[in-house]
Amino acid sequence: SQQGEEDPQALSIQEGENATMNCSYKTSINNLQWYRQNSGRGLVHLILIRSNEREKHSGRLRVTLDTSKKSSSLLITASRAADTASYFCATAPPGDYKLSFGAGTTVTVRA
Amino acid sequence: DSGVTQTPKHLITATGQRVTLRCSPRSGDLSVYWYQQSLDQGLQFLIQYYNGEERAKGNILERFSAQQFPDLHSELNLSSLELGDSALYFCASSVGLAGDSGTDTQYFGPGTRLTVL
């Protein structure tokens, strides 16, 4: 069963625009991680945010976490064609290491 | 490049057969995880090993088994294969420090694509 759900399922934007996707989860977490997957390839770790953090930045990425609403968002600013991929959020419950993934958001950046 | 290697990249086999997937973790990582990604089930956690011992089990079928060797590489064995076992199988590794799961990042390998005909 999947712990998280990403919204929207798919997103199409113009190069240079920002892309925002959301993740909702069901149970308590220790941390939430975002991964990127290019078509049929491995997952690339983007960012990890701990349950006691509210916002984190990494380059053009901004992640927020609201544990009271059990939700997170990933913002990609100034998108590029290379950002075309599927994005997954993954959560780990307290005291546990195994990740539960959402179904992912497929982002297409048009040139 | 995450530093996690998986072999083979592709595997095509027939129903009823047995295959072994191999994973080498990043240098220094003690935890190895196996995940299955299929179109209908998405990404599912299968099993975790930490320093040679099984630590957590997820949605792993009884026909599947895994182990982690003293050199920390891991193998996932899939037997009596069925059509539905066709999927991408990922290995991930992390430092896996006990009690510090708050910052334990998992790094994924490129995956093994298994096709069962």
Side-chain angles (χ1 to χ4, degrees):
Chain A
S1 63
Q2 290 174 342
Q3 153 84 309
E5 289 184 13
E6 284 92 344
D7 171 56
Q9 287 187 346
L11 186 57
S12 180
I13 56 173
Q14 203 71 32
E15 207 166 21
E17 293 181 339
N18 296 343
T20 300
M21 60 210 86
N22 303 296
C23 167
S24 59
Y25 56 92
K26 297 172 186 169
T27 63
S28 298
I29 62 169
N30 209 6
N31 64 61
L32 186 144
Q33 303 182 46
W34 285 91
Y35 287 85
R36 184 186 75 226
Q37 183 179 34
N38 291 87
S39 179
R41 306 179 84 169
L43 285 90
V44 175
H45 184 263
L46 296 177
I47 199 163
L48 179 152
I49 186 165
R50 285 175 152 181
S51 59
N52 60 358
E53 296 175 313
R54 291 298 165 255
E55 188 170 313
K56 208 162 181 182
H57 296 254
S58 176
R60 294 183 295 112
L61 305 179
R62 173 179 166 252
V63 168
T64 63
L65 179 64
D66 186 337
T67 53
S68 67
K69 294 181 179 177
K70 292 187 169 58
S71 68
S72 173
S73 68
L74 170 67
L75 166 68
I76 305 172
T77 60
S79 62
R80 305 166 181 168
D83 296 327
T84 295
S86 292
Y87 292 81
F88 296 88
C89 69
T91 55
D96 205 339
Y97 289 82
K98 58 180 182 281
L99 293 177
S100 295
F101 285 84
T105 292
T106 299
V107 174
T108 303
V109 181
R110 306 185 306 272
Chain B
D1 184 0
S2 66
V4 178
T5 60
Q6 287 186 249
T7 56
K9 285 186 180 177
H10 302 278
L11 203 47
I12 302 174
T13 188
T15 54
Q17 295 298 305
R18 173 190 166 96
V19 297
T20 297
L21 313 183
R22 196 179 192 278
C23 166
S24 292
R26 293 187 325 153
S27 176
D29 285 357
L30 298 178
S31 269
V32 169
Y33 312 76
W34 286 97
Y35 293 86
Q36 178 194 58
Q37 186 179 34
S38 61
L39 283 174
D40 53 345
Q41 296 285 332
L43 265 159
Q44 300 278 332
F45 167 77
L46 296 178
I47 197 164
Q48 178 202 0
Y49 280 83
Y50 175 77
N51 205 20
E53 294 194 5
E54 182 183 305
R55 194 176 205 179
K57 238 175 180 177
N59 300 322
I60 187 165
L61 301 171
E62 284 193 13
R63 300 183 285 108
F64 296 0
S65 65
Q67 53 184 328
Q68 186 179 29
F69 295 86
D71 67 351
L72 301 177
H73 91 271
S74 177
E75 291 181 357
L76 178 67
N77 300 296
L78 315 176
S79 61
S80 302
L81 285 167
E82 302 175 359
L83 296 177
D85 297 327
S86 295
L88 262 171
Y89 290 85
F90 289 107
C91 166
S93 75
S94 72
V95 174
L97 292 171
D100 190 27
S101 56
T103 57
D104 201 43
T105 297
Q106 292 185 27
Y107 294 92
F108 281 71
T112 293
R113 183 174 293 280
L114 173 67
T115 302
V116 182
L117 300 175

